[in-house]
Amino acid sequence: MQEAIGVPNLKDVTAEVVCNRFSDGEWVRTSVHVPSEIEFTIYVNEKALVTILCTAAKLNYLTIGYLYAEGIISSIDDVASMRVSEEEALADVRLNNPEYELPTLRKLGCSGSSVFKTQGQRVDSDLVAAPTDILSLMKRLQEQMELYPLSGGVHTSALSDTKNLLVVAEDIGRHNTLNKIQGECLLKGISTRDRLMLITGRISSEMLLKAAKMQAPIVVSRHAPTKNAILLATDMGIALVGQARGDRLAVFTHPERLGCSTN
């Protein structure tokens, strides 16, 4: 099975465009970089499964992570072969089960709405992380961003063991970053259980479900979570941390995972 394709040069996933910038009371015509996007189609057993609007980087990880997140595969052992082509904007995946029946083809934008209904599962873990460690990791994540400083317009997520960033992914879609992390971990044999998830974008219920499937008991974002994400995190045992910027953060659920007494 093809495990990986080369990570493209940053300029291959951005485009240089001309704009008129207003600054200090004056207009200046200049060029800037903006994110590029492709419509990437995943084929399973020679049938089109889904088309995803995404950034053309780590497409092999995106493919495996998506299939796992949607329940198409339960492990990498379910995949007989995989071919990923950036030029053709497709992934050709053959399963060990050639009779697997696929649903109707869907097209997903940056929202990443699931083709399949994913049920949440409780995360049982003793993981605890200090607020200072979480804030330090968020700063480190910002330092490791490569595409965002060049073009903006993308999200970044990372998997951490509370001390180090293990896997980092960038994409125009928040959901795509988590699928890329999941896929890279599956292909490289990196456990996602008892890990901390860092996200630059908003935490929605769908994002939380992906983290729960990875069995990540702490999910952190620079932004606020949605109400449904908070309700799900409460039920699933996940510490949901938002507004993690500078030296501040807010814990919305299970504060005991950050050493905060609820008494």
Side-chain angles (χ1 to χ4, degrees):
M1 181 181 69
Q2 176 185 348
E3 178 180 314
I5 58 175
V7 177
N9 186 289
L10 289 178
K11 291 186 178 181
D12 293 335
V13 293
T14 63
E16 189 172 4
V17 299
V18 175
C19 70
N20 295 296
R21 176 174 289 165
F22 185 78
S23 177
D24 297 326
E26 297 183 354
W27 287 100
V28 177
R29 190 167 178 80
T30 184
S31 62
V32 298
H33 285 89
V34 296
S36 297
E37 57 195 17
I38 64 170
E39 289 192 354
F40 180 68
T41 302
I42 299 175
Y43 291 83
V44 176
N45 292 344
E46 300 185 270
K47 295 181 180 179
L49 170 66
V50 65
T51 296
I52 304 173
L53 190 64
C54 65
T55 300
K58 297 189 175 185
L59 295 176
N60 53 321
Y61 300 144
L62 175 61
T63 300
I64 292 297
Y66 180 85
L67 294 180
Y68 182 83
E70 300 299 337
I72 304 295
I73 62 174
S74 58
S75 75
I76 198 66
D77 294 334
D78 293 333
V79 180
S81 66
M82 177 177 71
R83 181 181 70 88
V84 179
S85 171
E86 181 183 338
E87 292 74 21
E88 300 173 73
L90 64 81
D92 179 13
V93 180
R94 308 296 172 93
L95 302 179
N96 286 319
N97 177 11
E99 305 302 321
Y100 188 92
E101 294 188 10
L102 301 179
T104 304
L105 173 69
R106 300 288 183 87
K107 180 180 289 188
L108 304 186
C110 297
S111 66
S113 300
S114 297
V115 173
F116 308 102
K117 182 175 178 61
T118 305
Q119 297 296 329
Q121 49 187 308
R122 184 167 181 83
V123 179
D124 294 318
S125 172
D126 296 326
L127 183 69
V128 175
T132 51
D133 288 340
I134 289 176
L135 291 170
S136 176
L137 287 167
M138 185 59 77
K139 291 177 183 177
R140 202 176 308 170
L141 175 61
Q142 291 178 270
E143 293 170 355
Q144 290 199 19
M145 293 177 186
E146 295 182 329
L147 184 55
Y148 183 83
L150 178 64
S151 67
V154 296
H155 296 282
T156 309
S157 296
L159 188 73
S160 170
D161 59 4
T162 74
K163 298 300 180 183
N164 303 290
L165 300 182
L166 305 176
V167 180
V168 178
E170 293 181 280
D171 199 280
I172 58 170
R174 292 174 296 133
H175 300 76
N176 293 341
T177 63
L178 296 194
N179 284 337
K180 286 179 178 181
I181 288 174
Q182 177 70 88
E184 184 166 354
C185 288
L186 284 170
L187 283 168
K188 292 184 176 180
I190 301 172
S191 174
T192 59
R193 183 179 294 274
D194 294 331
R195 305 298 195 191
L196 186 151
M197 185 68 66
L198 298 163
I199 300 168
T200 58
R202 183 183 73 256
I203 303 175
S204 64
S205 56
E206 289 177 313
M207 293 286 281
L208 196 72
L209 287 170
K210 288 182 182 294
K213 188 151 190 177
M214 295 186 202
Q215 288 289 291
I218 302 176
V219 179
V220 184
S221 173
R222 296 179 68 248
H223 297 279
T226 65
K227 179 181 178 181
N228 283 352
I230 293 173
L231 294 174
L232 280 171
T234 300
D235 291 341
M236 294 190 293
I238 296 175
L240 193 53
V241 182
Q243 302 169 349
R245 303 184 184 192
D247 60 355
R248 300 180 179 180
L249 55 75
V251 186
F252 294 89
T253 62
H254 297 282
E256 68 277 5
R257 291 199 185 279
L258 275 75
C260 175
S261 173
T262 56
N263 296 329

